[in-house]
Amino acid sequence: RVSNCFTDRWRGVRCGSARALSSVKHSGWWNERDLRSLPYDSALCALQAYHRENGDLAIPISFVVPSSNEYPEEWHGAKLSRYIYNMKWWQKHISSYPDRVAELNELGFIWTRLQPQWNLFMEGMVCYRNIYGNVMVPASFVVPRHDENWPQATWDLPLGSIVQRLRMRNDFLTGDNAIQRKKQLDGIGMVWDVSEYNFNKLLRALRHFDRLESGKISAREHIIRVPSKFVVPSGRENGWPPDLWQYPLGAKCMAVRQKQLYVKNNPHRKQALEDIGFRWSGNSKLGWLDVVQAAAIYSQMHGRVLNVPFNFVIPAPPQDAESNPQCADSWPWPERLWGLKLGQRLKDVRLKGAYLKGPDAHVRKAQLDNLGFVWHPKRGRRKRFIEDDDDNRELVDDSCTVE
């Protein structure tokens, strides 16, 4: 059983007796500027008080002894772990006293904390990588307490703050051990330039999206279009690498366009995005270009009248077109537009004002008017017949007719 007071080894001064502690404090037994010189029983009383309050001795680095009767007065305002979990304290008070080792074991003393701060930091970094697969530690991350995934010695370690100071101020990376420690960090995948890391992740995600969507993209006009709400799906069956799962690619693309995320004052990154088909105008403007091109073709095929049925979808060539090169070459619809729901898009223009908002609205409305757009079509079901229009037939070969 661990006693809640000083043992009789220290002149019978009992824990909690402020008057006795004060008299001893002023007798000059220790150096007040270094609490490691305090008698062992004084430190034991402080440890017992912490244990009664918390149930363990996983003392956070930032813990400051409160000014309460539970703790010896000489420890008030001190960072307890700074003096207790220290090799000099161990050498002075523990190394030659086996009975004290047993006494501290009963309290749950964490012996692995008696090592340099760098070793604890590296232990935490390796553990973080094992759990999360990388060492991109958020600045606010603190090792959780009572988590079996983490060594007890690292509980409450402000790992994110240490990583941030290491990048900005080169903490731990000065002196004779600097080169060796940097190699250790490189060995576990330390990210020194977070902005470059995040940009490369975006670039890699866009390239992967491009490969998966390559069947839908025209080789003549290579444009990557990521829906604004697209999030990389989880699961290997979807064809994405695990480290990109749940990556908000659509939101990132919007932030790049609107806020210059990752590319501000960096023309090389902008060029790298453009080289793979990224466009700065966004999906809305790119979508309008598709609509107006398809509308122009439809208008030309129908006598400069743009009255598209609601269910009209831009068709691909017939399956036998592959065996008929002349038919494929004369097909009026570019491959990039195949599958475009032109009827639905133009209905949205009429009813919802789609594409007609913002500074380009009047220009786009004029484009539609020039194509003969019918803003108020007649109600009722359309008659199902094909008009004999020589102008339309000139656009396609007789053997490859569009209905």
Side-chain angles (χ1 to χ4, degrees), residues 5 65 77-78 81 100 112 116 185 311 336 342 362 379:
C5 64
V65 176
S81 67
R100 293 180 179 179
T112 51
L185 290 170
N311 59 353
R336 179 169 59 85
L342 183 60
H362 66 287
R379 295 185 178 182

Side-chain angles (χ1 to χ4, degrees), residues 107-136:
L107 288 174
F109 192 86
I110 306 173
W111 300 102
T112 51
R113 286 279 293 271
L114 293 173
Q115 57 179 313
Q117 186 74 4
W118 170 258
N119 292 354
L120 284 175
F121 166 67
M122 284 302 299
E123 187 175 7
M125 289 289 281
V126 171
C127 189
Y128 186 96
R129 187 188 63 172
N130 292 339
I131 295 173
Y132 297 100
N134 59 60
V135 289
M136 284 292 294

Side-chain angles (χ1 to χ4, degrees), residues 378-391:
K378 294 181 179 180
R379 295 185 178 182
R381 182 174 298 177
R382 292 172 177 267
K383 294 182 180 180
R384 294 181 174 273
F385 65 91
I386 302 175
E387 296 183 359
D388 187 9
D389 192 331
D390 293 337
D391 293 336

Side-chain angles (χ1 to χ4, degrees), residues 298 301-302 309 312-316 318 331-333 384-387 392-393 396-397 400-403:
Y298 189 97
M301 294 172 62
H302 292 80
F312 178 77
V313 179
I314 303 297
W331 192 250
W333 303 103
R384 294 181 174 273
F385 65 91
I386 302 175
E387 296 183 359
N392 292 341
R393 291 185 181 278
V396 296
D397 187 84
C400 193
T401 305
V402 181
E403 295 186 0

